[in-house]
Amino acid sequence: MSIIVSAIGQGLIWGVIGLGLFLTFRILDFPDMTVEGTFPLGGCGVCRCRFSRGISHFSYPVSFWRRYFSGLATGLLYTKGKIPILLAGILVMTATYSINLRIMGRANLSLYGKHTLFNGQFLNSLPPYFNSVVLGLIIIAIITAIIIYFLQTNLGQAFIATGDNPTMAKSLGISTDNMQIMGVGVSNGLIALGGALVAQNNGFADVNMGIGVIVVALASIIIGEVVFGELTMNQRLIATTSGVSFIVS
């Protein structure tokens, strides 16, 4: 039973990565390889802060915007530098490897005995392994609600139109370059947030923890859509989270 609960908790936490990649892969049709660099970047950053001096929970939004600039770099290389999508992502992904080593000062870092988001007073009072389930549900619900609200705004509709038909979007006066830069940036910010959560739940961060992340996230999107069939945009977000939970479990 404990294995099942732990697997469900891990799946919910990894759902944040699936939602991040959904924005670029499904909506923007942007195969972003940067995620394999920003995922460990989030984990390495939070582990270093916890290990050295400790950080407040309010620093997570700040951390999100810092990791946003990794995606911003990829978007600028593609839109302004006219570098192919895959190559732009690989360049930034490779650069973040050195950044991760610089942040931690070593290849991996343990959080054993350190205070994390998963061992607060309320979560410690729950049965074993239920802390990740409860926290994962709360975080997924908040992020999904924010994305759904955003996609219903004028900016969100312009974002969707850019992915559906860039030529038509340009004819309507939408800056497709700005939409792509914004989308890739927000996506990588969410993925880095997911990396920070996974690292705290696992109790360590490693510079190689991002290998294969894009495969897990893409598989979750595909499995979620296949299992649930024809869905609306909002329902696809929930299906993506379910797909991640299935794969990780």
Side-chain angles (χ1 to χ4, degrees):
M1 182 64 183
S2 61
I3 296 176
I4 296 175
V5 174
S6 177
I8 293 173
Q10 281 276 352
L12 290 170
I13 295 170
W14 277 79
V16 178
I17 292 94
L19 291 175
L21 197 62
F22 181 86
L23 295 177
T24 52
F25 182 74
R26 267 292 178 258
I27 298 182
L28 279 184
D29 194 22
F30 192 109
D32 184 21
M33 291 294 295
T34 317
V35 298
E36 295 201 357
T38 49
F39 177 79
L41 181 62
C44 293
V46 75
C47 280
R48 182 59 185 176
C49 290
R50 294 289 184 189
F51 185 83
S52 61
R53 61 185 182 279
I55 53 175
S56 166
H57 298 328
F58 294 104
S59 64
Y60 285 94
V62 177
S63 179
F64 168 86
W65 287 111
R66 287 177 180 174
R67 275 56 180 179
Y68 171 90
F69 289 105
S70 297
L72 183 68
T74 302
L76 289 172
L77 288 175
Y78 171 63
T79 58
K80 307 302 181 183
K82 306 303 178 183
I83 296 176
I85 295 176
L86 290 177
L87 180 56
I90 292 172
L91 286 172
V92 178
M93 177 188 69
T94 306
T96 55
Y97 186 88
S98 299
I99 295 173
N100 292 334
L101 283 173
R102 179 66 177 174
I103 289 174
M104 294 198 301
R106 62 191 77 175
N108 49 66
L109 198 61
S110 173
L111 286 177
Y112 180 76
K114 301 294 182 180
H115 177 73
T116 69
L117 200 61
F118 290 85
N119 54 20
Q121 184 176 359
F122 168 71
L123 296 177
N124 282 336
S125 65
L126 298 174
Y129 304 106
F130 272 85
N131 57 344
S132 59
V133 175
V134 172
L135 189 60
L137 282 172
I138 294 173
I139 293 174
I140 282 293
I142 293 174
I143 293 176
T144 302
I146 292 174
I147 293 176
I148 289 175
Y149 173 78
F150 164 72
L151 294 178
Q152 293 174 348
T153 63
N154 291 335
L155 181 61
Q157 291 298 304
F159 179 70
I160 294 173
T162 299
D164 284 342
N165 193 327
T167 304
M168 180 198 71
K170 286 182 179 179
S171 67
L172 295 175
I174 298 172
S175 175
T176 55
D177 285 356
N178 289 343
M179 292 297 106
Q180 289 173 331
I181 292 171
M182 178 193 70
V184 178
V186 172
S187 170
N188 280 277
L190 287 175
I191 291 167
L193 176 61
L197 294 172
V198 170
Q200 290 183 87
N201 190 43
N202 293 343
F204 72 96
D206 189 278
V207 292
N208 294 315
M209 65 187 289
I211 296 176
V213 168
I214 191 171
V215 176
V216 174
L218 289 178
S220 69
I221 295 173
I222 295 170
I223 289 177
E225 291 180 347
V226 169
V227 171
F228 292 98
E230 292 295 327
L231 301 170
T232 63
M233 180 66 74
N234 295 342
Q235 291 170 340
R236 284 186 178 185
L237 294 170
I238 300 173
T240 297
T241 304
S242 303
V244 175
S245 301
F246 174 80
I247 291 174
V248 176
S249 301

